[in-house]
Amino acid sequence: MTPCNFKNTRRWDALPTSIDKGIEGDSYTKSNIGGARDALLNTASQPVGEIDVALAHAKRLLDKSPELAAEQAREILSVVPGHPIARLILGAAQRVAGRAQAALDILEPLAVEQPRAAPVHLELGIARGEAGRGRDAIAALRRAVQLQPGSADG
């Protein structure tokens, strides 16, 4: 059996960059977006628009500088602790930087919290593959495709 090579896999194109795309939760669902924005405004020192800009910037950094992407995601998390998209970007940055176990430490609990978020399961599957956990990787990748057909293409 040929081992999977996930080193060149770049699926962060699918990563959401705003709270109304791809991540669920009481304050992050699309149906409750107004409430989520109000909650973030009340707990964060920056307007939500700035958080979305910071998330987009972190996502762009993944390709060129995963270390800077991780730093940006940590900064977002210091303002909005537990932000699921920032955690996803941080996990992706850890994986891209070659730290599969650190990525799994972030992504595995996130996948439990976000069972219907295809980008989370996709990134988790890739990280598991890089960590040598082939069967677990396949299960996570299947879940991602089940949630969003075509998510593993490309």
Side-chain angles (χ1 to χ4, degrees):
M1 179 179 230
T2 305
C4 296
N5 178 2
F6 292 102
K7 293 293 182 193
N8 294 319
T9 304
R10 295 178 14 201
R11 291 303 305 156
W12 42 85
D13 299 344
L15 295 182
T17 55
S18 68
I19 61 175
D20 61 345
K21 296 180 186 171
I23 301 291
E24 63 184 86
D26 290 340
S27 61
Y28 297 106
T29 60
K30 190 168 187 169
S31 63
N32 188 22
I33 197 69
R37 289 191 187 275
D38 291 344
L40 286 173
L41 286 171
N42 291 334
T43 61
S45 61
Q46 299 177 346
V48 170
E50 290 184 28
I51 298 295
D52 289 344
V53 169
L55 287 166
H57 180 63
K59 180 180 161 183
R60 282 191 305 273
L61 287 170
L62 277 170
D63 201 17
K64 296 179 182 171
S65 179
E67 297 298 332
L68 290 177
E71 184 179 327
Q72 180 75 26
R74 285 187 193 98
E75 183 64 29
I76 294 165
L77 290 166
S78 74
V79 174
V80 187
H83 193 288
I85 299 169
R87 290 168 58 203
L88 176 58
I89 292 171
L90 180 57
Q94 295 288 16
R95 180 189 65 78
V96 172
R99 293 186 293 274
Q101 187 56 54
L104 291 173
D105 291 344
I106 296 163
L107 296 169
E108 286 183 332
L110 185 58
V112 171
E113 295 167 24
Q114 301 292 328
R116 294 187 308 247
V120 172
H121 291 277
L122 179 61
E123 192 60 39
L124 175 63
I126 296 167
R128 284 177 172 171
E130 288 186 8
R133 294 172 48 193
R135 289 181 189 207
D136 292 337
I138 291 169
L141 293 170
R142 280 187 177 146
R143 178 69 178 145
V145 171
Q146 177 187 32
L147 292 166
Q148 185 178 337
S151 62
D153 294 341

